[in-house]
Amino acid sequence: MASIKDVAILAGVAVGTVSRVINNAPAVKPATRDKVMAAIKQLNYVPDEVARNFKMQKSKMVALMLPSIWNPFFSELAYYIEDELDRNGFKLMLCNSGGKPEKELYYFDMLKQNKVAGIVGITYNDIENIVSTDIPIISIDRHFNKQITCVTSDNFEGGRIALRELVKAGSKKPAFLGNVPSMYSETLRRKDGFVHEAQALGIPFAVYEEPDSHKDEDQYYSTFLQRHPDIDGVFAITDMTAARYIEKAKEAGIRVPEDVKVIGYDGIQDHPFFHPLLSTIRQPVEEMARTAVRLLLKKVEGKSLDREVFRIPVTYRAGETT
């Protein structure tokens, strides 16, 4: 692999001149710049971005921390975040934590050392003490005690819409199916909106939550089915939760939507996982992603933001499960 010294030798200039060309310094003669660019092309030289950032104390790298790249919602979010960063001349460093707090601790420590320009983070773990505002951070869904901006969808309104749509579809006793996170997340507002609307309309309802719905999924769904045999509508905290419920309900002889109407939350129902096509509260994923990047870059530039929480409206998409 060619080095910056190889480029300098081929172009017949000093290494410092090559560095100035790479960094678009104005004090380089056009003829010299052309020679250096020709040498870079001939040698297929790729500048060491990390080394340049460290030397210049100015990074063009932004880290995205995700619980899982396998989840279609997170994958879609990552796609639009990378695209918006690219439009603004920044590169993406993907940190896939697997939802493990120890990996998130490792990543935060590594990112501080590598001097990234900023971080867009999604975490559902209790890592309050290790998150620092030394690096510009934008959080998706999660609230911290520190001055960290949060971008999220309007989860409360999404819960209200879901309840109304279940009732409209004929549900007489709907239930919320979710989990209890270890810290406060905007996703909790989905249940709050659902409960608020049910109480406002005088509709009997049920709420089923467990601290970790993924620890023993079979037990989670079987317990729900045993405790609430009379429910005829389900609003699940995510599309994936809704899809797994539909699978378990089918195994128990419960038909969707004939016996139970089901609505999810995220809007990834075009994914092959979903048969039948899921009715869902669609998060504005692209708008959330691009908003998070734009806000982060404002912070990188040292600008202040007018508020700490940015909630973006959601929409209902009818499918075959209501």
Side-chain angles (χ1 to χ4, degrees):
M1 182 179 293
S3 67
I4 191 171
K5 186 175 181 180
D6 296 327
V7 173
I9 292 172
L10 182 59
V13 299
V15 170
T17 301
V18 177
S19 179
R20 286 194 292 275
V21 170
I22 292 172
N23 293 307
N24 294 314
V28 179
K29 295 179 180 179
T32 302
R33 187 181 300 276
D34 290 343
K35 285 195 300 182
V36 172
M37 293 305 295
I40 287 174
K41 184 176 181 181
Q42 182 177 333
L43 294 173
N44 197 26
Y45 170 67
V46 179
D48 187 338
E49 188 79 20
V50 174
R52 285 172 54 208
N53 289 338
F54 185 81
K55 184 176 181 180
M56 297 168 64
Q57 295 294 300
K58 182 179 179 182
S59 176
K60 300 292 283 186
M61 191 82 67
V62 167
L64 171 61
M65 186 175 295
L66 294 177
S68 171
I69 197 64
W70 288 109
N71 186 298
F73 171 72
F74 295 140
S75 298
E76 186 178 353
L77 194 73
Y79 173 85
Y80 289 117
I81 286 175
E82 190 281 331
D83 185 67
E84 188 65 22
L85 285 170
D86 183 62
R87 290 184 182 188
N88 287 275
F90 283 76
K91 293 178 174 60
L92 176 73
M93 177 188 296
L94 180 62
C95 303
N96 183 41
S97 70
K100 299 175 181 177
E102 64 273 16
K103 285 191 72 174
E104 292 178 351
L105 292 170
Y106 165 78
Y107 278 133
F108 272 112
D109 186 56
M110 179 193 74
L111 295 172
K112 289 176 185 177
Q113 295 180 39
N114 283 351
K115 299 183 182 297
V116 293
I119 301 170
V120 178
I122 303 177
T123 172
Y124 302 110
N125 292 311
D126 185 9
I127 58 170
E128 183 79 37
N129 292 333
I130 61 101
V131 175
S132 167
T133 55
D134 294 342
I135 302 174
I137 299 177
I138 297 292
S139 171
I140 304 290
D141 286 338
R142 167 74 182 272
H143 289 283
F144 292 92
N145 293 330
K146 304 176 179 71
Q147 300 289 312
I148 295 176
T149 303
C150 174
V151 173
T152 185
S153 65
D154 193 341
N155 294 274
F156 186 84
E157 183 61 22
R160 294 183 64 208
I161 293 172
L163 187 281
R164 292 198 299 267
E165 292 296 336
L166 286 173
V167 172
K168 188 187 299 183
S171 176
K172 303 297 183 185
K173 186 178 180 182
F176 173 80
L177 186 60
N179 59 278
V180 183
S182 59
M183 31 36 73
Y184 182 72
S185 166
E186 277 280 324
T187 59
L188 288 171
R189 293 171 60 84
R190 300 172 189 177
K191 178 192 70 175
D192 295 342
F194 173 89
V195 171
H196 176 276
E197 197 67 9
Q199 291 175 338
L201 296 176
I203 304 294
F205 66 93
V207 170
Y208 179 73
E209 296 176 301
E210 293 291 344
D212 188 352
S213 60
H214 301 292
K215 188 174 183 180
D216 188 338
E217 285 194 347
D218 289 338
Q219 185 63 44
Y220 174 80
Y221 292 102
S222 63
T223 300
F224 171 69
L225 291 170
Q226 290 168 10
R227 290 183 184 177
H228 304 285
D230 57 338
I231 63 101
D232 57 5
V234 166
F235 171 43
I237 193 168
T238 66
D239 284 350
M240 296 300 288
T241 302
R244 293 187 178 102
Y245 165 76
I246 291 171
E247 180 185 4
K248 297 300 180 183
K250 184 178 179 181
E251 292 174 2
I254 299 171
R255 300 169 301 166
V256 175
E258 292 85 358
D259 301 324
V260 179
K261 319 294 181 185
V262 179
I263 294 177
Y265 195 109
D266 278 337
I268 55 174
Q269 76 273 34
D270 291 335
H271 195 280
F273 283 162
F274 302 114
H275 297 289
L277 192 66
L278 182 66
S279 296
T280 186
I281 304 300
R282 169 66 176 173
Q283 294 207 69
V285 185
E286 180 175 358
E287 188 177 354
M288 289 172 64
R290 297 193 189 281
T291 297
V293 171
R294 290 165 189 161
L295 293 173
L296 181 68
L297 296 186
K298 283 186 177 181
K299 284 195 168 188
V300 170
E301 293 169 2
K303 297 178 181 178
S304 59
L305 304 179
D306 58 358
R307 60 185 188 274
E308 285 190 28
V309 181
F310 291 77
R311 294 190 178 94
I312 303 174
V314 296
T315 54
Y316 172 67
R317 285 190 180 178
E320 301 167 338
T321 60
T322 50

